[in-house]
Amino acid sequence: MDWSVSSVLCYAAGLCLLVQLVRFLCADADLTLLWAAAFGSKPKDKLCGKVVWITGASSGIGEELAYQLASLGAFLILSARREGELERVKRSCVERSRLQEKDILVLPLDLMERGSHEAIAKTAIRHFGHIDILVNNGGRSQRSLCLDTRMEVYEALMDLNFLGTISLTKCVLPHMVQRGVGMVVTVSSVMGFAGAPLATGYSASKHALQGFFNCLRTELTEHPGITISTVCPGPVVSQVVGNAFTEDLGKPNSNVGDQEYKMSTSRCVHLMLVGMANHLKEMWISQQPFLLFCYLWQYAPTWAWALTDWLGRKRVQNFRAGLVSGKHTVGVSYQDLKFKPFFSCVVFFYVFN
């Protein structure tokens, strides 16, 4: 069989595309972040000795961030409403690392009490002399239909997730501008650029964060030493669903479901630290099929809208029947779905989120 140069090039191109497709299907973050993980700066080299202020540090992603940063040798300021839980996290950080008690400051904070933020920020800065990185991780999710949700829930979501985050950032940012260096890392969500049922207020608050920090980044171009980074995780093992707002402020969410299909908190945080070490402006962190859905929203929004209209209707029906968040909501399991083609991947996103 005769092989021409063009034939060899065509086969090589096809093989390359196949390899890249397989890599993408096995990916759990956007390609830029995975490239940084493989070839970029290592978190240990860049984050050791940094002063990092973490909000929402009493559980979930914030708690795991504290543990991994402590192991890297970063100095920590831990904030959340529950001081007892923050003290528990501090003790665990000391036990897991070489840090001492004085290297970790527990600083209780309520993001909704914006009048207290300036004084708390001054306390944080005074304790270590400066802040290198602010991680805006505090917030709550939502599980309710718009027609059933009271306005007080929307107000609370915007106050907590958006205005509280902006308030604290504005208290810390002048300090970073004065020093000429710093990083603001904000944990948003894939819901910050996509849409799905049952999260109208939550998604709106995350869209607002995305817009704010994208604009802020452009305003700080004269300060190249300051990085504005946004993290967009998909489903991650945490208490976020259990703590989600429902249609009434005082009503707990009783339909949590299992978390088998979600990315581990440790993996999510490791990828976040890679992005921080490499000063990435935006990170998508999610397992397949959720990552595939992110790319669909970004590069093929017409397809995304067609699918969301159809699948969203099914998810609303399941929610009303009390089936959303369960492992077998449409009669199939995650193990059945995850090896099926693209369409099943998108179905999975809506059914199991």
Side-chain angles (χ1 to χ4, degrees):
M1 179 177 180
D2 294 331
W3 290 80
S4 65
V5 174
S6 59
S7 296
V8 172
L9 291 176
C10 286
Y11 277 108
L15 180 60
C16 181
L17 287 174
L18 179 61
V19 170
Q20 295 303 319
L21 177 61
V22 171
R23 289 183 60 203
F24 178 74
L25 292 176
C26 297
D28 59 1
D30 67 83
L31 301 182
T32 303
L33 179 53
L34 291 180
W35 178 271
F39 304 107
S41 300
K42 303 304 178 186
K44 178 67 175 178
D45 299 332
K46 297 296 183 178
L47 301 178
C48 180
K50 298 295 185 182
V51 176
V52 185
W53 188 1
I54 307 169
T55 66
S58 60
S59 64
I61 289 175
E63 179 178 352
E64 182 64 26
L65 265 171
Y67 296 152
Q68 293 197 26
L69 283 167
S71 68
L72 295 177
F75 303 107
L76 301 176
I77 303 171
L78 307 179
S79 288
R81 291 180 301 164
R82 300 176 295 173
E83 186 172 2
E85 288 299 297
L86 292 175
E87 291 290 352
R88 175 187 60 81
V89 174
K90 176 178 179 177
R91 289 193 298 270
S92 296
C93 287
V94 172
E95 292 170 359
R96 300 178 182 206
S97 69
R98 296 182 178 180
L99 295 183
Q100 301 177 11
E101 293 276 343
K102 63 181 179 63
D103 299 326
I104 304 174
L105 172 65
V106 168
L107 194 60
L109 167 75
D110 188 336
L111 286 173
M112 297 182 73
E113 295 182 0
R114 297 194 293 276
S116 67
H117 292 178
E118 185 173 356
I120 292 174
K122 288 180 179 178
T123 300
I125 295 170
R126 185 166 56 247
H127 185 82
F128 288 109
H130 66 277
I131 295 172
D132 294 302
I133 303 172
L134 170 65
V135 181
N136 290 312
N137 176 66
R140 288 178 67 181
S141 185
Q142 176 195 6
R143 287 296 183 275
S144 62
L145 295 168
C146 175
L147 291 177
D148 301 330
T149 304
R150 299 177 65 85
M151 276 303 301
E152 291 84 352
V153 173
Y154 288 114
E155 291 172 355
L157 279 163
M158 293 303 292
D159 276 346
L160 176 60
N161 293 356
F162 178 60
L163 294 176
T165 297
I166 301 314
S167 172
L168 193 63
T169 299
K170 282 179 60 62
C171 291
V172 175
L173 189 59
H175 164 73
M176 293 182 175
V177 170
Q178 184 179 18
R179 294 182 66 226
V181 64
M183 179 181 296
V184 178
V185 180
T186 301
V187 179
S188 178
S189 167
V190 296
M191 298 289 285
F193 57 86
L198 311 181
T200 47
Y202 174 75
S203 182
S205 69
K206 295 301 185 178
H207 272 75
L209 284 175
Q210 297 274 123
F212 177 89
F213 284 104
N214 283 343
C215 292
L216 177 61
R217 189 182 295 114
T218 66
E219 292 183 9
L220 295 174
T221 53
E222 294 181 349
H223 305 278
I226 298 177
T227 299
I228 303 297
S229 182
T230 308
V231 185
C232 300
V236 176
V237 175
S238 71
Q239 300 175 14
V240 66
V241 177
N243 294 330
F245 284 108
T246 59
E247 61 270 22
D248 293 307
L249 277 179
K251 182 180 178 181
N253 179 29
S254 58
N255 194 358
V256 177
D258 70 57
Q259 305 198 53
E260 172 190 345
Y261 64 92
K262 297 183 178 181
M263 175 183 282
S264 70
T265 316
S266 59
R267 175 60 178 170
C268 175
V269 168
H270 170 72
L271 290 170
M272 284 179 61
L273 296 179
V274 169
M276 291 162 61
N278 289 274
H279 296 270
L280 298 187
K281 296 177 180 178
E282 186 167 293
M283 309 172 222
W284 298 353
I285 302 175
S286 184
Q287 293 175 325
Q288 298 291 10
F290 309 102
L291 182 65
L292 187 61
F293 192 79
C294 294
Y295 277 91
L296 182 68
W297 267 98
Q298 187 77 4
Y299 297 109
T302 302
W303 289 8
W305 277 119
L307 288 168
T308 53
D309 288 347
W310 187 78
L311 296 168
R313 186 179 304 114
K314 288 184 173 293
R315 187 160 193 254
V316 170
Q317 292 170 354
N318 286 338
F319 178 76
R320 286 176 173 155
L323 297 174
V324 169
S325 295
K327 182 180 177 182
H328 301 283
T329 41
V330 290
V332 293
S333 70
Y334 169 53
Q335 296 298 327
D336 295 328
L337 276 176
K338 70 175 183 176
F339 295 111
K340 291 186 181 292
F342 169 73
F343 189 73
S344 292
C345 291
V346 182
V347 172
F348 179 80
F349 176 86
Y350 275 92
V351 173
F352 290 89
N353 182 27

